Amino acid sequence: MSNERVINFGAGPSALPTDVLEEATKGLLNFQGTGIGIAEISHRSKEFTAFLNDAESHIRTLLEVPPTHKILFTQGGGSGQFSSVVLNLLARHRLLHPELKDEERVMDYVVTGSWSKKAMEEARRLGRGRVNIAADARKYSKDGKAFDNIPAHDEYAFSADPALIYYCENETVDGVQFSDDLGSPAAFPFHKLQQGGLLPLVADYSSSFMSRPIPRLADHAVIFAGAQKNLGPAGLTILIVRQDCIVDVDAAAKLGAVPVPIMLSYKTLADSKSLYNTPSVLPIYIAGLVLQKMSAGGGLQVYAQSNRQKFEKVIAALKKGEEKGVFKGKVKEGSVSWMNIVFDVPGEGRLQGFLDGAAERKMKGLAGHRSVGGVRVSLYNAINQQDTDRLVEYMNEYAATVV
């Protein structure tokens, strides 16, 4: 069996920095001189709790998280938060408005891709509150069915006093992302939200967390991210929760709210400093090493600049291929994700030929999600400029040889 590593363009679990993995192997055997491996050590040991606090500090500094927000570590992935945000924010809304009936509580969802659609469906499934689709990108797609755009700002219709306002910043499957330039028509329309007061704004940042700064972070009630994209292995979910959203869910239940399972309660996590039960110790360790590397490497702006450069290189190669009829992009210009660039390779057998050629060149993980097919290039932080250049070189070579 070969020990040679390939370039992993997979969408998640995805590539991690080689030097971090090498450092992590040391910790697997002996964590910080304890003589105990990180996968074996008590999560309540002073060494691990200090490491957890350090990881939290790096996140707060790198993202400029204000003191109004708690940083929490949990499990269950982004899909677990589809339920948690509904239950916690409906509990909050019940405490604020105990007189309202369930059908009078509204949850606003912006649906721009497969993941926000799943989140919206979970809100409907839980059934305590009415779901309002504030915007549905499919209406503005080429065929009325695809998720290929970020809707124009005029197309959003938010409720007056919703329990939550939900959006997914980057859609991993569909390759659609909100712009980080607030002047862009593809930016999230913060200006259309009710002004003044504490907004119940929820954002799924799973596939773009730590790739660039988060616009208007302080205006969010909850930001969550599965770590298995830019930060660490699967098994860890990171939350940034505004303190007014860390509510007594049991008090809300006495007023008629849905009882919240104890491990889904933000108050449980906050009160226990993310250590109510055994957390994902090994994923936290590897994510913490990545955070240390990011801080030592110049901070988030350095990574944002690099990610922009990688994106621009791949987009340039994609456009060259489109001019020759070899490639076909799936997302409207202006809405294309930095993290997950999706496109088709039209023609009988050509998609598989492209993927096979990439594999021969030690580039894997390029097949699109099973629900949409095609190619998906995931450019997470651990994919460096050299890795990107190798892919671009292959894309250009492939486009030149296809007739």
Side-chain angles (χ1 to χ4, degrees):
M1 182 181 293
S2 173
N3 290 323
E4 182 183 1
R5 285 177 61 81
V6 302
I7 302 174
N8 176 14
F9 288 101
S14 45
L16 287 164
T18 302
D19 55 350
V20 165
L21 293 175
E22 291 171 344
E23 181 65 23
T25 61
K26 300 175 185 177
L28 278 170
L29 294 172
N30 187 344
F31 173 60
Q32 295 191 347
T34 60
I36 302 173
I38 183 62
E40 308 163 291
I41 200 165
S42 168
H43 60 290
R44 301 193 190 281
S45 66
K46 68 179 187 299
E47 292 86 2
F48 179 75
T49 54
F51 188 90
L52 182 66
N53 291 336
D54 184 66
E56 176 185 337
S57 178
H58 281 295
I59 294 172
R60 190 172 294 279
T61 300
L62 287 164
L63 282 173
E64 298 182 359
V65 179
T68 51
H69 289 62
K70 293 278 190 181
I71 297 171
L72 308 172
F73 300 86
T74 188
Q75 301 166 51
S79 296
Q81 290 307 306
F82 295 168
S83 308
S84 292
V85 295
V86 170
L87 297 175
N88 281 274
L89 292 186
L90 280 178
R92 174 182 181 269
H93 202 256
R94 177 75 62 168
L95 292 169
L96 291 173
H97 306 287
E99 75 286 355
L100 294 181
K101 299 178 181 178
D102 284 344
E103 58 270 22
E104 296 176 302
R105 299 183 197 281
V106 183
M107 296 175 284
D108 283 354
Y109 277 77
V110 176
V111 181
T112 53
S114 299
W115 292 115
S116 50
K117 178 175 177 286
K118 285 179 181 291
M120 177 270 294
E121 290 169 345
E122 175 64 357
R124 281 181 171 167
R125 191 188 72 82
L126 291 172
R128 293 292 189 96
R130 178 170 56 85
V131 170
N132 168 54
I133 298 181
D136 188 334
R138 289 170 292 188
K139 294 180 180 179
Y140 316 106
S141 66
K142 299 169 186 175
D143 60 3
K145 299 177 182 179
F147 290 114
D148 65 3
N149 69 95
I150 296 295
H153 288 174
D154 290 345
E155 307 300 335
Y156 292 78
F158 295 109
S159 304
D161 185 20
L164 63 92
I165 305 160
Y166 191 106
Y167 74 101
C168 179
E169 194 268 349
N170 181 71
E171 292 281 2
T172 324
V173 171
D174 306 282
V176 174
Q177 184 175 24
F178 285 91
S179 174
D180 63 336
D181 176 4
L182 294 181
S184 167
F188 186 82
F190 293 99
H191 64 281
K192 296 205 70 175
L193 302 176
Q194 183 176 340
Q195 302 302 304
L198 297 172
L199 294 170
L201 184 61
V202 176
D204 176 355
Y205 263 80
S206 291
S207 50
S208 57
F209 193 66
M210 287 295 171
S211 66
R212 64 191 189 188
I214 297 176
R216 294 183 62 167
L217 184 151
D219 291 332
H220 289 75
V222 180
I223 292 168
F224 67 84
Q228 67 275 16
K229 312 293 184 179
N230 286 298
L231 199 56
L236 169 64
T237 307
I238 296 170
L239 308 175
I240 301 174
V241 184
R242 200 175 60 221
Q243 292 186 39
D244 66 283
C245 298
I246 300 172
V247 301
D248 187 337
V249 295
D250 292 335
K254 291 177 182 178
L255 296 174
V258 180
V260 180
I262 196 163
M263 284 308 302
L264 298 186
S265 165
Y266 294 153
K267 191 172 189 301
T268 298
L269 292 171
D271 288 351
S272 64
K273 300 184 187 300
S274 301
L275 294 174
Y276 181 82
N277 70 333
T278 307
S280 302
V281 174
L282 180 58
I284 288 172
Y285 176 57
I286 297 177
L289 294 179
V290 173
L291 289 164
Q292 291 174 11
K293 177 182 174 69
M294 293 185 71
S295 295
L300 200 54
Q301 290 294 350
V302 172
Y303 283 81
Q305 182 179 2
S306 176
N307 286 328
R308 178 184 288 279
Q309 291 170 350
K310 292 184 298 183
F311 166 77
E312 290 174 347
K313 288 177 182 179
V314 175
I315 289 298
L318 175 57
K319 288 183 176 179
K320 284 183 182 178
E322 285 181 317
E323 291 170 0
K324 296 180 179 181
V326 176
F327 302 138
K328 184 179 180 181
K330 292 186 175 185
V331 178
K332 293 181 180 178
E333 189 168 355
S335 300
V336 180
S337 168
W338 282 22
M339 296 284 94
N340 312 101
I341 300 172
V342 297
F343 60 91
D344 284 323
V345 186
E348 184 68 29
R350 287 183 175 174
L351 170 61
Q352 193 58 51
F354 178 84
L355 296 174
D356 289 345
E360 291 171 3
R361 292 161 176 79
K362 309 298 182 185
M363 293 180 286
K364 295 186 178 181
L366 287 164
H369 190 271
R370 62 187 180 276
S371 65
V372 295
V375 175
R376 173 169 54 175
V377 180
S378 296
L379 298 173
Y380 301 128
N381 287 352
I383 298 295
N384 60 34
Q385 298 294 335
Q386 292 73 31
D387 297 337
T388 306
D389 290 342
R390 279 181 59 181
L391 175 64
V392 167
E393 181 182 3
Y394 171 58
M395 291 174 67
N396 289 332
E397 174 189 324
Y398 183 87
T401 56
V402 172
V403 293

